[in-house]
Amino acid sequence: PRAAGTSVAVVAATTAAAALTQVADLARDAGLADAVPWSLVAYTVPGVLVGGQIAPRLAGRVLSDEAIRAAAAAVFLGVGAAFAASVLHSPAPAP
């Protein structure tokens, strides 16, 4: 439990720092009013709120720990493969 709490704290701090850096970069380039991509926030926040309520119930009753690990591994593998494919199939940048 202590390691899990430390891990959550590290992830939260890293995420907050990355988000603040991204918003500052966008604010510098586009101005503060246009710094936050509100269309993305409008779709992300409801998903996070609903998923945050459903996931603990599914994890405790429906899925075993091994099934959750396998599903997470499959999702990460799929995302990694999609990123790799997009990089390999994108044209080289102009010098």
XYZ file of all heavy atoms in Angstrom:
642
model
N 0.804 -1.210 0.000
C 0.000 0.000 0.000
C 0.841 1.265 0.000
O 0.483 2.233 -0.621
C -0.838 -0.104 1.257
C -0.965 -1.576 1.521
C 0.319 -2.150 1.021
N 1.968 1.275 0.726
C 2.795 2.471 0.764
C 3.390 2.751 -0.610
O 3.419 3.892 -1.064
C 3.901 2.329 1.795
C 4.710 3.597 1.921
C 5.761 3.492 2.977
N 5.106 3.370 4.280
C 5.726 3.035 5.383
N 7.015 2.780 5.363
N 5.080 2.937 6.512
N 3.856 1.700 -1.304
C 4.436 1.870 -2.634
C 3.378 2.348 -3.622
O 3.664 3.172 -4.490
C 5.067 0.570 -3.102
N 2.163 1.837 -3.489
C 1.086 2.270 -4.388
C 0.765 3.738 -4.166
O 0.561 4.490 -5.125
C -0.145 1.405 -4.175
N 0.720 4.165 -2.928
C 0.460 5.571 -2.626
C 1.562 6.473 -3.152
O 1.298 7.553 -3.691
N 2.808 6.033 -3.005
C 3.932 6.805 -3.524
C 3.850 6.886 -5.042
O 4.078 7.940 -5.635
C 5.269 6.159 -3.105
O 5.297 6.077 -1.683
C 6.446 6.959 -3.601
N 3.510 5.779 -5.677
C 3.380 5.751 -7.132
C 2.297 6.714 -7.602
O 2.490 7.449 -8.567
C 3.074 4.334 -7.595
O 2.859 4.313 -8.974
N 1.170 6.710 -6.929
C 0.080 7.618 -7.298
C 0.519 9.068 -7.132
O 0.234 9.919 -7.981
C -1.182 7.316 -6.462
C -2.220 8.418 -6.618
C -1.766 5.973 -6.848
N 1.230 9.370 -6.061
C 1.703 10.735 -5.840
C 2.687 11.166 -6.928
O 2.628 12.304 -7.422
C 2.355 10.852 -4.463
N 3.585 10.286 -7.318
C 4.551 10.612 -8.364
C 3.843 10.834 -9.698
O 4.144 11.786 -10.425
C 5.622 9.505 -8.484
C 6.458 9.671 -9.740
C 6.508 9.502 -7.246
N 2.891 9.971 -10.028
C 2.148 10.125 -11.279
C 1.347 11.430 -11.258
O 1.311 12.159 -12.254
C 1.237 8.902 -11.526
C 0.253 9.161 -12.654
C 2.077 7.679 -11.828
N 0.710 11.739 -10.148
C -0.078 12.969 -10.045
C 0.806 14.198 -10.204
O 0.446 15.143 -10.927
C -0.822 13.011 -8.719
N 1.952 14.216 -9.562
C 2.861 15.355 -9.673
C 3.399 15.491 -11.090
O 3.480 16.605 -11.637
C 4.008 15.208 -8.678
N 3.758 14.389 -11.708
C 4.275 14.424 -13.073
C 3.204 14.904 -14.046
O 3.477 15.719 -14.932
C 4.770 13.022 -13.491
O 5.760 12.599 -12.568
C 5.344 13.029 -14.884
N 1.984 14.420 -13.870
C 0.885 14.825 -14.737
C 0.580 16.311 -14.578
O 0.362 17.017 -15.569
C -0.373 13.990 -14.438
O -0.044 12.611 -14.589
C -1.515 14.346 -15.346
N 0.555 16.785 -13.355
C 0.292 18.207 -13.117
C 1.384 19.073 -13.739
O 1.091 20.101 -14.372
C 0.188 18.478 -11.615
N 2.638 18.678 -13.586
C 3.738 19.448 -14.175
C 3.654 19.450 -15.697
O 3.850 20.487 -16.342
C 5.075 18.874 -13.715
N 3.336 18.312 -16.280
C 3.212 18.232 -17.738
C 2.047 19.076 -18.241
O 2.160 19.771 -19.260
C 3.043 16.784 -18.173
N 0.923 19.039 -17.533
C -0.239 19.827 -17.940
C 0.051 21.320 -17.844
O -0.294 22.091 -18.756
C -1.443 19.463 -17.073
N 0.684 21.740 -16.765
C 1.022 23.157 -16.621
C 2.015 23.606 -17.691
O 1.897 24.706 -18.239
C 1.582 23.430 -15.228
C 0.560 23.350 -14.091
C 1.254 23.480 -12.735
C -0.487 24.427 -14.248
N 2.968 22.758 -18.006
C 3.924 23.083 -19.052
C 3.227 23.210 -20.397
O 3.498 24.138 -21.172
C 5.026 22.009 -19.129
O 5.673 21.933 -17.863
C 6.038 22.316 -20.210
N 2.320 22.293 -20.688
C 1.588 22.330 -21.960
C 0.728 23.588 -22.059
O 0.720 24.258 -23.088
C 0.713 21.084 -22.088
C -0.057 21.007 -23.375
C 0.817 20.758 -24.581
O 1.877 20.174 -24.485
N 0.368 21.218 -25.733
N 0.006 23.922 -20.997
C -0.843 25.113 -21.011
C 0.009 26.372 -21.147
O -0.334 27.291 -21.897
C -1.738 25.175 -19.759
C -2.415 26.525 -19.626
C -2.784 24.077 -19.808
N 1.142 26.428 -20.455
C 2.026 27.592 -20.578
C 2.560 27.723 -22.000
O 2.631 28.838 -22.545
C 3.183 27.476 -19.591
N 2.918 26.613 -22.621
C 3.409 26.639 -23.993
C 2.311 27.100 -24.950
O 2.548 27.926 -25.835
C 3.927 25.253 -24.378
C 4.680 25.261 -25.678
O 5.449 26.214 -25.911
O 4.515 24.305 -26.466
N 1.097 26.575 -24.780
C -0.023 26.998 -25.617
C -0.363 28.468 -25.385
O -0.668 29.196 -26.336
C -1.243 26.130 -25.344
C -1.177 24.687 -25.847
C -2.354 23.891 -25.306
C -1.145 24.641 -27.354
N -0.309 28.917 -24.138
C -0.610 30.318 -23.820
C 0.405 31.242 -24.467
O 0.054 32.321 -24.952
C -0.641 30.520 -22.310
N 1.651 30.828 -24.499
C 2.696 31.650 -25.116
C 2.473 31.749 -26.626
O 2.646 32.800 -27.211
C 4.060 31.044 -24.829
C 5.224 31.819 -25.388
C 6.488 31.082 -25.118
N 6.225 29.659 -25.398
C 7.036 28.882 -26.094
N 8.145 29.324 -26.536
N 6.733 27.623 -26.315
N 2.047 30.650 -27.241
C 1.873 30.627 -28.690
C 0.545 31.223 -29.144
O 0.499 31.930 -30.148
C 1.975 29.191 -29.216
C 3.377 28.622 -29.074
O 4.324 29.412 -28.889
O 3.519 27.391 -29.131
N -0.552 30.914 -28.442
C -1.885 31.293 -28.923
C -2.591 32.303 -28.028
O -3.684 32.729 -28.355
C -2.750 30.040 -29.045
N -2.018 32.661 -26.928
C -2.701 33.542 -25.991
C -3.415 32.737 -24.922
O -3.790 31.585 -25.141
N -3.604 33.330 -23.778
C -4.154 32.599 -22.634
C -5.578 32.124 -22.874
O -5.955 31.024 -22.465
C -4.088 33.484 -21.384
C -4.367 32.790 -20.069
C -3.421 31.620 -19.865
C -4.232 33.768 -18.920
N -6.398 32.902 -23.583
C -7.795 32.521 -23.794
C -7.918 31.262 -24.647
O -8.833 30.464 -24.461
C -8.554 33.666 -24.452
N -6.991 31.065 -25.565
C -7.044 29.907 -26.450
C -6.099 28.795 -26.010
O -5.891 27.834 -26.748
C -6.688 30.322 -27.878
C -7.709 31.270 -28.468
O -8.895 31.153 -28.110
O -7.319 32.134 -29.278
N -5.532 28.902 -24.818
C -4.523 27.942 -24.372
C -5.112 26.574 -24.062
O -4.465 25.560 -24.265
C -3.791 28.466 -23.144
N -6.337 26.523 -23.590
C -6.949 25.252 -23.210
C -7.821 24.763 -24.365
O -8.692 25.484 -24.835
C -7.806 25.408 -21.938
C -8.505 24.114 -21.590
C -6.939 25.885 -20.789
N -7.585 23.540 -24.843
C -8.441 23.004 -25.910
C -9.793 22.559 -25.328
O -9.985 21.401 -24.955
C -7.635 21.818 -26.453
C -6.757 21.410 -25.316
C -6.488 22.644 -24.520
N -10.732 23.484 -25.236
C -11.997 23.233 -24.545
C -12.811 22.132 -25.197
O -13.558 21.425 -24.513
C -12.805 24.520 -24.431
C -12.136 25.498 -23.527
C -11.543 26.664 -23.891
C -11.947 25.376 -22.117
N -11.003 27.279 -22.796
C -11.229 26.518 -21.682
C -12.295 24.418 -21.170
C -10.875 26.727 -20.364
C -11.945 24.629 -19.844
C -11.240 25.770 -19.460
N -12.700 21.970 -26.510
C -13.451 20.893 -27.155
C -12.964 19.528 -26.664
O -13.757 18.607 -26.489
C -13.322 20.984 -28.679
O -11.958 20.891 -29.060
N -11.680 19.406 -26.410
C -11.132 18.165 -25.871
C -11.570 17.966 -24.417
O -11.952 16.866 -24.013
C -9.614 18.171 -25.971
C -8.885 16.960 -25.426
C -9.248 15.721 -26.237
C -7.393 17.186 -25.465
N -11.548 19.036 -23.642
C -11.952 18.964 -22.235
C -13.425 18.569 -22.130
O -13.804 17.763 -21.267
C -11.698 20.315 -21.528
C -12.307 20.338 -20.136
C -10.208 20.603 -21.464
N -14.256 19.080 -23.031
C -15.690 18.800 -22.985
C -15.991 17.315 -23.159
O -16.978 16.814 -22.617
C -16.419 19.599 -24.061
N -15.159 16.598 -23.900
C -15.371 15.164 -24.083
C -14.613 14.322 -23.063
O -15.023 13.214 -22.755
C -14.958 14.736 -25.498
C -15.899 15.264 -26.549
C -15.530 16.318 -27.369
C -17.160 14.718 -26.703
C -16.398 16.815 -28.331
C -18.034 15.198 -27.666
C -17.641 16.247 -28.474
O -18.499 16.729 -29.413
N -13.510 14.821 -22.565
C -12.675 14.042 -21.658
C -13.240 13.998 -20.243
O -13.273 12.938 -19.617
C -11.253 14.618 -21.632
O -10.743 14.646 -22.964
C -10.336 13.788 -20.765
N -13.662 15.119 -19.722
C -14.117 15.195 -18.330
C -15.300 14.268 -18.051
O -15.270 13.508 -17.076
C -14.417 16.658 -17.929
C -15.118 16.727 -16.586
C -13.123 17.458 -17.886
N -16.346 14.247 -18.878
C -17.437 13.298 -18.595
C -16.976 11.839 -18.633
O -17.413 11.023 -17.817
C -18.463 13.580 -19.693
C -18.177 14.962 -20.135
C -16.699 15.149 -19.979
N -16.094 11.521 -19.567
C -15.580 10.149 -19.633
C -14.815 9.754 -18.394
O -14.941 8.639 -17.887
N -14.011 10.675 -17.885
C -13.242 10.410 -16.677
C -14.172 10.249 -15.474
O -13.996 9.340 -14.655
C -12.219 11.538 -16.424
C -11.614 11.442 -15.044
C -11.130 11.508 -17.491
N -15.170 11.108 -15.374
C -16.097 11.026 -14.245
C -16.913 9.732 -14.267
O -17.054 9.064 -13.244
C -17.025 12.240 -14.234
C -16.345 13.582 -13.945
C -17.344 14.724 -14.082
C -15.710 13.584 -12.578
N -17.427 9.369 -15.424
C -18.220 8.141 -15.528
C -17.326 6.918 -15.341
O -17.661 5.988 -14.600
C -18.963 8.091 -16.880
C -19.602 6.736 -17.106
C -20.018 9.182 -16.941
N -16.179 6.914 -16.017
C -15.259 5.781 -15.887
C -14.747 5.608 -14.475
O -14.555 4.488 -14.003
N -14.539 6.709 -13.776
C -14.074 6.641 -12.397
C -15.104 6.042 -11.445
O -14.751 5.520 -10.391
N -16.363 6.109 -11.816
C -17.408 5.504 -10.997
C -17.637 4.034 -11.360
O -17.922 3.211 -10.501
C -18.721 6.275 -11.162
C -18.640 7.717 -10.733
C -18.206 7.861 -9.292
O -18.734 7.212 -8.412
N -17.225 8.711 -9.055
N -17.506 3.714 -12.641
C -17.785 2.354 -13.106
C -16.619 1.407 -12.844
O -16.821 0.260 -12.447
C -18.134 2.375 -14.609
C -19.449 3.118 -14.821
C -18.211 0.970 -15.177
C -19.786 3.348 -16.271
N -15.402 1.861 -13.067
C -14.225 0.980 -12.995
C -14.056 0.272 -11.651
O -13.796 -0.934 -11.633
C -12.967 1.764 -13.347
N -14.189 0.943 -10.518
C -14.018 0.218 -9.254
C -15.059 -0.888 -9.060
O -14.760 -1.939 -8.506
C -14.171 1.299 -8.178
C -13.886 2.574 -8.858
C -14.317 2.384 -10.267
N -16.264 -0.657 -9.533
C -17.299 -1.684 -9.401
C -16.989 -2.895 -10.287
O -17.160 -4.035 -9.875
C -18.656 -1.094 -9.744
C -19.150 -0.152 -8.651
C -20.399 0.601 -9.080
N -20.924 1.444 -8.036
C -20.408 2.599 -7.645
N -19.309 3.046 -8.187
N -20.975 3.301 -6.686
N -16.533 -2.634 -11.506
C -16.159 -3.733 -12.397
C -14.943 -4.481 -11.866
O -14.890 -5.707 -11.919
C -15.863 -3.212 -13.797
C -17.043 -2.762 -14.630
C -16.560 -2.210 -15.964
C -18.014 -3.891 -14.840
N -13.973 -3.738 -11.375
C -12.743 -4.367 -10.890
C -13.015 -5.245 -9.684
O -12.396 -6.290 -9.518
C -11.718 -3.296 -10.537
N -13.942 -4.868 -8.838
C -14.209 -5.641 -7.636
C -15.123 -6.827 -7.842
O -15.033 -7.809 -7.116
N -15.986 -6.773 -8.855
C -17.000 -7.816 -8.991
C -16.867 -8.651 -10.249
O -17.128 -9.846 -10.220
C -18.383 -7.172 -9.000
C -18.702 -6.485 -7.704
C -20.086 -5.898 -7.754
N -20.281 -5.066 -6.568
C -21.145 -4.099 -6.492
N -21.918 -3.816 -7.507
N -21.275 -3.393 -5.395
N -16.515 -8.044 -11.345
C -16.598 -8.728 -12.629
C -15.254 -9.289 -13.073
O -15.180 -10.419 -13.533
C -17.148 -7.761 -13.706
C -17.182 -8.422 -15.069
C -18.542 -7.277 -13.311
N -14.207 -8.512 -12.948
C -12.916 -8.892 -13.508
C -11.914 -9.288 -12.430
O -11.843 -8.659 -11.385
C -12.338 -7.731 -14.325
C -13.199 -7.244 -15.489
C -12.598 -5.995 -16.089
C -13.344 -8.322 -16.533
N -11.136 -10.307 -12.732
C -10.063 -10.707 -11.819
C -8.855 -9.808 -12.044
O -8.765 -9.098 -13.051
C -9.665 -12.162 -12.081
O -9.056 -12.276 -13.354
N -7.918 -9.833 -11.110
C -6.701 -9.034 -11.253
C -5.942 -9.409 -12.518
O -5.408 -8.543 -13.214
C -5.787 -9.216 -10.038
C -6.304 -8.494 -8.809
O -7.217 -7.657 -8.952
O -5.786 -8.764 -7.706
N -5.896 -10.686 -12.815
C -5.180 -11.144 -14.017
C -5.864 -10.649 -15.288
O -5.188 -10.254 -16.244
C -5.088 -12.680 -14.026
C -4.124 -13.208 -15.041
C -2.703 -12.693 -14.861
O -2.246 -12.533 -13.717
O -2.042 -12.443 -15.890
N -7.185 -10.629 -15.302
C -7.915 -10.128 -16.472
C -7.676 -8.636 -16.655
O -7.529 -8.151 -17.789
C -9.404 -10.421 -16.334
N -7.625 -7.889 -15.559
C -7.357 -6.454 -15.643
C -5.951 -6.209 -16.168
O -5.732 -5.339 -17.024
C -7.570 -5.780 -14.270
C -9.048 -5.825 -13.900
C -7.058 -4.347 -14.279
C -9.340 -5.384 -12.487
N -4.967 -6.966 -15.677
C -3.592 -6.826 -16.171
C -3.516 -7.136 -17.662
O -2.856 -6.429 -18.424
C -2.652 -7.741 -15.402
C -2.252 -7.206 -14.078
C -1.093 -8.017 -13.482
N -1.070 -7.818 -12.064
C -1.548 -8.667 -11.159
N -2.052 -9.816 -11.538
N -1.514 -8.376 -9.887
N -4.172 -8.200 -18.085
C -4.149 -8.580 -19.496
C -4.819 -7.511 -20.364
O -4.309 -7.173 -21.446
C -4.837 -9.928 -19.693
N -5.927 -6.967 -19.902
C -6.617 -5.916 -20.665
C -5.758 -4.654 -20.757
O -5.660 -4.044 -21.825
C -7.960 -5.601 -20.018
N -5.139 -4.263 -19.646
C -4.269 -3.081 -19.668
C -3.080 -3.303 -20.588
O -2.702 -2.408 -21.359
C -3.804 -2.742 -18.254
N -2.500 -4.493 -20.541
C -1.369 -4.799 -21.423
C -1.801 -4.730 -22.884
O -1.067 -4.208 -23.736
C -0.804 -6.173 -21.095
N -2.982 -5.246 -23.197
C -3.475 -5.197 -24.571
C -3.704 -3.765 -25.032
O -3.358 -3.406 -26.163
C -4.766 -6.010 -24.690
N -4.265 -2.933 -24.163
C -4.492 -1.527 -24.517
C -3.162 -0.819 -24.754
O -2.984 -0.109 -25.761
C -5.313 -0.809 -23.429
C -5.301 0.694 -23.626
C -6.735 -1.327 -23.408
N -2.204 -1.000 -23.849
C -0.909 -0.345 -24.014
C -0.180 -0.843 -25.261
O 0.460 -0.075 -25.970
C -0.037 -0.538 -22.778
C -0.544 0.216 -21.579
C -0.518 -0.365 -20.321
C -1.051 1.488 -21.693
C -0.983 0.318 -19.214
C -1.519 2.188 -20.599
C -1.494 1.595 -19.351
N -0.280 -2.123 -25.540
C 0.333 -2.674 -26.738
C -0.314 -2.087 -27.990
O 0.378 -1.714 -28.938
C 0.215 -4.200 -26.738
C 0.870 -4.918 -27.913
C 2.377 -4.713 -27.882
C 0.550 -6.398 -27.847
N -1.626 -1.978 -27.984
C -2.323 -1.391 -29.122
C -1.969 0.062 -29.342
O -1.724 0.497 -30.474
N -1.920 0.837 -28.266
C -1.555 2.249 -28.382
C -0.116 2.382 -28.867
O 0.187 3.205 -29.748
C -1.767 2.979 -27.036
C -1.168 4.370 -27.064
C -3.244 3.046 -26.701
N 0.771 1.580 -28.318
C 2.169 1.616 -28.758
C 2.317 1.247 -30.220
O 3.075 1.879 -30.966
N 1.585 0.233 -30.666
C 1.637 -0.163 -32.068
C 1.085 0.934 -32.972
O 1.627 1.197 -34.055
C 0.862 -1.457 -32.269
N 0.005 1.592 -32.540
C -0.560 2.678 -33.337
C 0.416 3.841 -33.459
O 0.586 4.416 -34.546
C -1.881 3.151 -32.713
N 1.077 4.204 -32.357
C 2.075 5.274 -32.412
C 3.243 4.882 -33.308
O 3.714 5.685 -34.115
C 2.591 5.620 -31.015
C 1.755 6.642 -30.304
C 1.047 6.290 -29.168
C 1.675 7.939 -30.751
C 0.270 7.215 -28.494
C 0.901 8.879 -30.097
C 0.193 8.515 -28.970
N 3.718 3.655 -33.178
C 4.835 3.198 -34.008
C 4.451 3.214 -35.481
O 5.233 3.653 -36.332
C 5.267 1.795 -33.577
N 3.242 2.762 -35.798
C 2.791 2.760 -37.187
C 2.677 4.171 -37.735
O 3.064 4.436 -38.881
C 1.448 2.034 -37.304
N 2.180 5.103 -36.919
C 2.045 6.476 -37.401
C 3.402 7.120 -37.643
O 3.581 7.889 -38.575
C 1.219 7.318 -36.435
O 1.932 7.557 -35.239
N 4.380 6.776 -36.821
C 5.724 7.336 -37.008
C 6.387 6.717 -38.223
O 7.018 7.407 -39.032
C 6.589 7.107 -35.745
C 8.047 7.409 -36.020
C 6.075 7.960 -34.603
N 6.236 5.410 -38.387
C 6.886 4.730 -39.507
C 6.264 5.086 -40.849
O 6.948 5.082 -41.871
C 6.833 3.214 -39.296
C 7.659 2.693 -38.114
C 7.415 1.204 -37.926
C 9.132 2.970 -38.331
N 4.984 5.424 -40.860
C 4.303 5.730 -42.114
C 4.180 7.213 -42.391
O 3.616 7.592 -43.418
C 2.926 5.071 -42.138
C 2.992 3.585 -42.167
N 3.486 2.880 -43.237
C 2.641 2.651 -41.259
C 3.434 1.597 -42.991
N 2.931 1.428 -41.781
N 4.684 8.058 -41.520
C 4.620 9.495 -41.769
C 5.805 9.914 -42.623
O 6.885 9.340 -42.539
C 4.594 10.273 -40.451
O 5.812 10.084 -39.769
N 5.599 10.925 -43.476
C 6.714 11.381 -44.304
C 7.801 12.020 -43.446
O 7.525 12.575 -42.380
C 6.079 12.390 -45.249
C 4.791 12.787 -44.597
C 4.380 11.647 -43.722
N 9.001 11.951 -43.939
C 10.129 12.552 -43.213
C 9.974 14.066 -43.214
O 9.532 14.656 -44.207
C 11.437 12.158 -43.869
N 10.335 14.727 -42.114
C 10.223 16.193 -42.071
C 11.233 16.839 -43.019
O 12.313 16.316 -43.257
C 10.539 16.536 -40.608
C 11.267 15.354 -40.080
C 10.810 14.166 -40.872
N 10.834 17.963 -43.547
C 11.720 18.704 -44.443
C 12.846 19.337 -43.647
O 12.640 19.795 -42.515
C 10.936 19.779 -45.170
N 14.042 19.347 -44.218
C 15.188 19.930 -43.460
C 15.109 21.417 -43.319
O 14.509 22.154 -43.934
C 16.398 19.536 -44.289
C 15.895 19.074 -45.609
C 14.439 18.795 -45.461
